[in-house]
Amino acid sequence: DAKTTQPTSMDCAEGRAANLPCNHSTISGNEYVYWYRQIHSQGPQYIIHGLKNNETNEMASLIITEDRKSSTLILPHATLRDTAVYYCIVRRGYNNNDMRFGAGTRLTVKP
Amino acid sequence: DVKVTQSSRYLVKRTGEKVFLECVQDMDHENMFWYRQDPGLGLRLIYFSYDVKMKEKGDIPEGYSVSREKKERFSLILESASTNQTSMYLCASGLPYEQYFGPGTRLTVT
């Protein structure tokens, strides 16, 4: 699976958009980009995933560059409850279930 | 809502004890997973299972075994617990594109 690089930590003001970057320059054609987050003392939670096109759901938007070497997770109006570690994961194919979690980005939303 | 439950939130065991960590999911998922999470190392996959009685090794299976006798239940077994197995253990079940995690079991081996 492709490696990902994320900043160790980021801050965001409450109510503003949080933009979390992820580099995955060695991604191959059949690899998807996934985002999970882990709030303190809880298990990770799925957020969103995509292959080529930008994706949006009720939690977030995922913007994937045209060359697919990087992506950005956008939380449009961050709240204090969005404070968590965010993991960007790249994995093979649609049916391969083994996720590989890296260190992630610790996002702190401040009042 | 999908529910993944783990038998204990906190567990303290002695070195050499046999330890069972239980995980139950209520969504009829075929796929279930066991991870451990340690500071600075992130989540690491121990074992996973695609079906009843089927299991596959993950990245760090040494010192662990698993059992999947029923679809909804996936057990992680530490045959002889050691202090380096002190960790947070997370169970997950899932669809091909989404995993649901339990709350975790913090195991301390003394």
Side-chain angles (χ1 to χ4, degrees):
Chain A
D1 289 336
K3 273 188 81 170
T4 61
T5 305
Q6 298 178 254
T8 304
S9 63
M10 293 180 64
D11 291 341
C12 177
E14 188 178 19
R16 303 296 293 268
N19 297 283
L20 293 98
C22 179
N23 285 322
H24 30 79
S25 58
T26 59
I27 192 170
S28 58
N30 63 350
E31 289 181 315
Y32 287 73
V33 180
Y34 288 72
W35 284 84
Y36 279 72
R37 73 179 182 184
Q38 188 171 20
I39 295 169
H40 184 63
S41 297
Q42 297 182 22
Q45 176 191 22
Y46 167 82
I47 301 172
I48 200 167
H49 76 284
L51 181 63
K52 293 184 195 176
N53 301 320
N54 298 338
E55 302 287 346
T56 296
N57 62 20
E58 65 278 3
M59 286 183 69
S61 295
L62 174 60
I63 309 297
I64 303 175
T65 58
E66 194 168 340
D67 63 7
R68 303 210 321 123
K69 293 185 176 182
S70 65
S71 60
T72 301
L73 179 76
I74 301 171
L75 309 177
H77 305 286
T79 70
L80 299 179
R81 287 177 294 178
D82 292 322
T83 292
V85 177
Y86 287 77
Y87 298 98
C88 170
I89 300 160
V90 171
R91 70 173 182 81
R92 296 188 305 273
Y94 193 76
N95 293 319
N96 187 336
N97 289 292
D98 44 338
M99 296 283 187
R100 296 294 187 268
F101 289 79
T105 295
R106 182 172 297 279
L107 175 70
T108 303
V109 181
K110 299 188 172 181
Chain B
D1 268 0
V2 176
K3 196 111 189 223
V4 178
T5 56
Q6 296 184 227
S7 47
S8 307
R9 286 303 303 267
Y10 299 94
L11 208 52
V12 179
K13 295 292 182 180
R14 294 192 180 276
T15 301
E17 277 193 85
K18 189 168 187 176
V19 182
F20 292 87
L21 303 181
E22 304 285 340
C23 175
V24 178
Q25 51 100 357
D26 66 357
M27 279 301 291
D28 203 36
H29 289 153
E30 292 180 348
N31 307 302
M32 295 188 74
F33 310 83
W34 274 106
Y35 296 85
R36 64 178 281 178
Q37 185 171 29
D38 302 286
L41 297 176
L43 278 84
R44 293 180 290 168
L45 182 65
I46 304 172
Y47 267 97
F48 57 101
S49 168
Y50 288 122
D51 203 349
V52 174
K53 296 193 186 296
M54 304 217 25
K55 59 187 179 186
E56 295 286 342
K57 292 180 181 179
D59 295 329
I60 51 162
E62 297 78 20
Y64 303 94
S65 62
V66 289
S67 172
R68 185 107 181 261
E69 296 296 319
K70 293 186 178 181
K71 194 174 188 179
E72 68 270 18
R73 189 179 296 270
F74 192 34
S75 303
L76 180 70
I77 303 156
L78 288 65
E79 294 288 343
S80 177
S82 63
T83 54
N84 63 11
Q85 293 179 309
T86 290
S87 185
M88 170 68 84
Y89 289 88
L90 289 155
C91 173
S93 74
L95 305 168
Y97 54 86
E98 182 175 351
Q99 290 186 16
Y100 299 89
F101 283 80
T105 296
R106 184 165 293 283
L107 172 68
T108 302
V109 183
T110 60

